[in-house]
Amino acid sequence: MELVTAEEMRRIDRHTIDAIGIPEIALMENAGRALADAVVRLVRRTGWHDMDAILLEGSKEPDAGEAGWGGGKPWAVLVGKGHNGGDGLIAARHLALRGVPVRIIYATPPEELRGEAARQRDIAERLQLPAGVYAPGAVDWSAMGGIVDALLGTGTGGTPREPYAALIREANASGLPIVAADLPSGLDPDTGQTADPCIRATLTVTFGLPKRGLVQYPGAEAAGTVLVAPIGIPVGLAAELGVSTWLLTPETLRNVLDADPDAPRQPDGHKGTYGHVLVAAGTRAMSGAGLLCATAALRSGAGLVTWAVPELLAESLIGAQPELMLAPVADGGRGDWLAADPLEVAAMAARRDALVVGPGLGRVPGSGVDGRGWLRRLWEALPPELPLVVDADALNHLAEAGDFAAWPKRPDATVFTPHPGELARLTGLPARDIQRDRIGVAREYALRHGVTLVLKGARTVVADPFGDVYVNPTGNPGMATGGTGDVLAGVIAGLLAQGYPATAAAALGVYRHGAAGDRAAAKRRSPASLIAGDLLAEL
Ligand SMILES: NC(=O)C1=CN([C@@H]2O[C@H](COP(=O)(O)OP(=O)(O)OC[C@H]3O[C@@H](n4cnc5c(N)ncnc54)[C@H](O)[C@@H]3O)[C@@H](O)[C@H]2O)[C@H](O)CC1
Ligand SMILES: [K+]
């Protein structure tokens, strides 16, 4: 499923109306009906399964409580001046038709409405739907059963101005369930940044296609449960008009990346069929990172995994994971990876199908060997087509090199897996700027440097070297614990060794990693007690 910006949605709407000829009022009528449909289900506690609107992957079912919402009291429909307001007026009409009492609250005098919104205003007046104009402090929210937020949609611009801001604050403070039309008002549709104030919705019914801001934090939280309602926009139009951002669903994995998450193993497969991963990871203080990474590569389906370990540690790791092969490398007697000869590591990797370097690689004080030079010598000695995952400290070494732009490119075979702090070092951007537009920053870095970039965090972003971006809906806050990144790097390396192209391996790896984290968290008393090793058994 594609994810769109406000501008992309407008372009798709316009093409649907002008080039295909579906009237705008038809689209709006469908939107308003879908909005009313969602409210009726909350009020009547009827099921979600038979709705036209679908639950967005990664969104949780709304819990309408026992008695359903509203308790027979009227739903306040907050109406803005634009088409979003028009959708709200259409929803009010359908709610009244279906026996849910409504009270329309215009944010500003209804005479200010234009175009289709004005038409809907006139219809609501002819039907004598109860209506009034908002005045701060004048609404008796205790007499309402719920709220429909139809103030601002994709036409929003910046922080909500008065009186929208005051109305949003009162709606949030009312304690009532809020169903947002298309977007919670105050949310940036493109980045997911929330203005002060921003509607905190129980449920958002987004029209046509999900806006990017609904799947990036804090927007994903402000939106609550997200339903995607079809409104008559032809399937495939988004891709046809050049939209290149997707939500990473099994459908996207199958249809866009040809990486079916449920693909069966070949019945006559053997260890060699599924590739051999070399793991260059783990120092004395962080040998566990290498063990997690190497084991995850096996769990991800690789046929064989060799963990290249500093020779000082090798003895102690015998049998730690019997399925792993160990390959001691010279370490200067200190368990220090950077004392190893990168050309030796490259030669070992060249005889395998994928290399992952970085987890627990460390910076042993006084090692005397500069990680920057070590990594570049490894990079240049590797066969350019050998699939490579660069993670954790290897990314930090690469950032310190400062001249990565001059290194030879290997666009089809390189995956970087930074968290926001590591990407901040790689780009020189403050981490908060990265978090403000994760999709934009990831896309730009991957394009510029010719790598597949996995920007980890809530709703991990995968950007390929050609401008396509995928946002992962799986995972949970319990995964914010040491070692889950080591597991992810191993999972991706295992998929690369099985022959998945770089972006497919990264996307499928991220999806499976998050799904494993969700299954592991469901088995814990609290997600907080999740540790990285719990994911291995769920992969
Ligand atoms: N074919 C279509 O376009 C369809 C659109 N749908 C719905 O329409 C909205 C987008 O409508 P639009 O008129 O472009 O903008 P909005 O209604 O979101 O709001 C614009 C309106 O609000 C004022 N405004 C903008 N920013 C602020 C602010 N910060 N503070 C106060 N007021 C603000 C602005 O002046 C305008 O008057 C889309 O989301 C859908 O809900 C249909 O669903 C489908 C067809
Ligand atoms: K809205």
Side-chain angles (χ1 to χ4, degrees), residues 39 42-43 69-78 95 100-103 105 139-149 171 174-179 202:
V39 173
L42 289 183
V43 169
W69 277 334
K73 295 179 186 174
W75 276 63
V77 182
L78 313 185
L95 286 171
V100 177
V102 294
R103 174 158 182 73
I105 299 177
V139 180
D140 176 5
W141 299 103
S142 66
M144 304 292 173
I147 295 171
V148 174
D149 158 32
S174 70
L176 292 168
I178 301 179
V179 176
T202 313

Side-chain angles (χ1 to χ4, degrees), residues 139-440:
V139 180
D140 176 5
W141 299 103
S142 66
M144 304 292 173
I147 295 171
V148 174
D149 158 32
L151 294 171
L152 296 170
T154 52
T156 190
T159 302
R161 297 186 291 273
E162 295 303 347
Y164 286 69
L167 180 47
I168 290 169
R169 287 197 174 93
E170 285 193 33
N172 284 339
S174 70
L176 292 168
I178 301 179
V179 176
D182 209 20
L183 294 163
S185 298
L187 175 68
D188 181 317
D190 299 354
T191 65
Q193 292 307 301
T194 50
D196 175 17
C198 177
I199 284 280
R200 304 193 61 71
T202 313
L203 182 146
T204 295
V205 182
T206 195
F207 308 127
L209 287 165
K211 284 66 190 179
R212 287 190 197 169
L214 296 170
V215 298
Q216 291 290 288
Y217 285 94
E221 188 172 2
T225 298
V226 178
L227 293 177
V228 184
I231 58 171
I233 290 165
V235 172
L237 192 50
E240 192 185 314
L241 295 182
V243 172
S244 58
T245 308
W246 286 267
L247 187 68
L248 204 44
T249 60
E251 167 212 23
T252 302
L253 282 161
R254 269 191 292 275
N255 302 338
V256 180
L257 286 162
D258 189 22
D260 182 349
D262 306 314
R265 299 270 275 194
Q266 286 167 246
D268 60 346
H270 52 80
K271 286 196 297 287
T273 313
Y274 299 107
H276 191 155
V277 175
L278 182 70
V279 175
T283 46
R284 185 194 191 107
M286 294 182 277
S287 60
L291 187 56
L292 286 167
C293 177
T295 308
L298 276 175
R299 289 282 182 191
S300 153
L304 294 168
V305 176
T306 297
W307 178 15
V309 289
E311 58 194 359
L312 183 75
L313 309 179
E315 284 298 310
S316 67
L317 290 165
I318 289 174
Q321 186 70 48
E323 297 85 354
L324 293 176
M325 292 180 281
L326 296 181
V329 291
D331 64 1
R334 293 187 300 273
D336 172 14
W337 247 109
L338 300 184
D341 176 354
L343 302 187
E344 178 193 347
V345 179
M348 289 165 74
R351 298 194 298 277
R352 269 80 177 185
D353 302 297
L355 169 65
V356 47
V357 58
L361 202 67
R363 301 296 312 272
V364 177
S367 65
V369 176
D370 178 343
R372 292 171 288 181
W374 186 90
L375 192 70
R376 176 154 194 177
R377 287 161 58 216
L378 172 67
W379 180 282
E380 292 179 336
L382 286 173
E385 75 289 345
L386 180 83
L388 167 66
V389 178
V390 185
D391 181 45
D393 288 322
L395 288 171
N396 292 329
H397 292 321
L398 195 146
E400 285 160 23
D403 63 349
F404 175 61
W407 294 18
K409 293 288 177 280
R410 29 188 359 270
D412 295 319
T414 308
V415 179
F416 282 8
T417 52
H419 57 56
E422 287 155 348
L423 188 56
R425 285 183 213 106
L426 284 168
T427 57
L429 293 172
R432 72 175 175 286
D433 290 2
I434 291 171
Q435 291 298 82
R436 275 209 194 107
D437 184 10
R438 290 166 48 87
I439 292 174

